[in-house]
Structures are given as structure tokens and as C-alpha cells.
């Protein structure tokens, strides 16, 4: 058995395809008209037909899962996000976790929650670049120095 990815319900597959291509630079792997696959993420228009269920049972903003992405250049991504007029953020935008990773959550065009988090290796580099020592970074992130070194060399 091999996990292949997630398929999400979309109202307009062409609009959603452009959304994911423009925002995340995803490349289409397969395009079957009402179903488009980027590899691990697929978009399905007429999801109710695919599952054989009533259309009204397809929920919007169900808040029971999220698509998660990591970004090396988090600041650039947030700037890109701010230039769009079709983005509705959850909460107040960028949040920083107690270990220092920054993230932002927002809805796609069909109400699916997306989280984009700062790549953890970049979090470590950001702290080191700010003048913190490896020991200070370890304490700040509550991670062992050896785990930080593994992350930095991955």
C-alpha cells in the first residue's frame, strides 16, 4: 500500500487550478477536465458525482482538516499572499509558535483551510543570523543542539 495524496472538492476546477499554480507554483501532473492532479494534491469538480452523494452534503469551511505547506522564504510568501484579493485569513494573519516557527492560515477558493509554515531549518537559520548562538537557539526552540545540527545539515 502506498499513500498517494488528497483529493479536495472544488466548485470550479479551472479557477482552483490557477489558484494553486499561482500561489504555490504547483505543476499539473494529470488533467482530466473535472479532475486535476498536482501529484499529492488533486482537485475534483463535481465531488458529489464522484462519491455518489447529494450535492448539499458537500460542506464549505468544515474546519476539520488543513492542507499544510512549508516555505523557505516565508516573508516573500506572505508578501505574495497580501497582493491577492481572494484570500481570507483565519485569525489575525501570521502567528509565531512558542518554538519560533511562523505560520499563516487562510482559506482557498472553496473554503479549505491552508496552513503555510516557515521551514524549520529556516527558523534555526533566522535565529542564528540574528546573533543567537546554537545553545541559545536550542533553549529558545526547546530542541537539543544535536537535533538542530541534524536539521541544519539535512
Amino acid at each position: 500500500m502506498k499513500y498517494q495524496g488528497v483529493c479536495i472538492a472544488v466548485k470550479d476546477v479551472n479557477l482552483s487550478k490557477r489558484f494553486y499554480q499561482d500561489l504555490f507554483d504547483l505543476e499539473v501532473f494529470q488533467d482530466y477536465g473535472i479532475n486535476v492532479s498536482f501529484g499529492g494534491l488533486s482537485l475534483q469538480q463535481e465531488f458529489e458525482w464522484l462519491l455518489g452523494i447529494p450535492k448539499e452534503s458537500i460542506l464549505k469551511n468544515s474546519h476539520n482538516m488543513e492542507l499544510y505547506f512549508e516555505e523557505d522564504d516565508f516573508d516573500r510568501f506572505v508578501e505574495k499572499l497580501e497582493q491577492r484579493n481572494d484570500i481570507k485569513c483565519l485569525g489575525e494573519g501570521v502567528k509565531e509558535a512558542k518554538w519560533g516557527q511562523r505560520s499563516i492560515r487562510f482559506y482557498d477558493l472553496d473554503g479549505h483551510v491552508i496552513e503555510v509554515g516557515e521551514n524549520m531549518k529556516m527558523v534555526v537559520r533566522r535565529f542564528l543570523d540574528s546573533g543567537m548562538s546554537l545553545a541559545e537557539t536550542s533553549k529558545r526552540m526547546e530542541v537539543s543542539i544535536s537535533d538542530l545540527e541534524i536539521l541544519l545539515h539535512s
Side-chain angles (χ1 to χ4, degrees):
M1 176 92 48
K2 180 180 177 188
Y3 176 74
Q4 292 295 316
V6 64
C7 180
I8 59 174
V10 299
K11 184 176 179 180
D12 183 321
V13 74
N14 291 314
L15 280 175
S16 293
K17 178 172 66 172
R18 280 194 299 280
F19 176 88
Y20 281 92
Q21 287 175 313
D22 293 347
L23 201 52
F24 299 105
D25 299 322
L26 297 181
E27 294 183 23
V28 172
F29 174 66
Q30 295 172 320
D31 188 336
Y32 298 114
I34 63 170
N35 179 278
V36 173
S37 174
F38 296 108
L41 171 64
S42 296
L43 312 174
Q44 178 70 48
Q45 188 172 307
E46 300 176 21
F47 202 70
E48 68 282 355
W49 164 81
L50 180 70
L51 300 181
I53 59 174
K55 187 172 188 160
E56 59 273 5
S57 69
I58 305 296
L59 303 177
K60 187 169 180 164
N61 296 0
S62 62
H63 298 124
N64 64 355
M65 62 83 67
E66 70 177 17
L67 300 174
Y68 179 71
F69 296 85
E70 282 193 350
E71 174 60 48
D72 287 350
D73 192 345
F74 186 77
D75 293 324
R76 182 197 59 80
F77 178 79
V78 171
E79 288 172 9
K80 185 177 181 181
L81 202 62
E82 290 171 345
Q83 293 173 6
R84 299 184 64 102
N85 62 4
D86 57 355
I87 300 296
K88 180 181 174 198
C89 288
L90 275 83
E92 298 180 20
V94 176
K95 290 174 37 178
E96 186 170 319
K98 70 177 188 170
W99 56 88
Q101 182 187 34
R102 298 175 294 163
S103 65
I104 189 165
R105 287 184 175 89
F106 55 94
Y107 295 104
D108 76 358
L109 302 176
D110 294 283
H112 302 103
V113 177
I114 298 174
E115 177 182 359
V116 176
E118 183 179 20
N119 180 310
M120 290 301 292
K121 186 176 191 175
M122 302 311 292
V123 175
V124 176
R125 286 192 175 150
R126 181 167 47 88
F127 286 154
L128 295 175
D129 290 347
S130 76
M132 292 174 72
S133 69
L134 200 55
E136 291 168 325
T137 301
S138 170
K139 184 175 180 179
R140 167 68 172 83
M141 295 181 73
E142 298 179 352
V143 176
S144 71
I145 291 175
S146 62
D147 282 348
L148 292 179
E149 289 173 337
I150 291 170
L151 184 59
L152 284 170
H153 295 100
S154 64

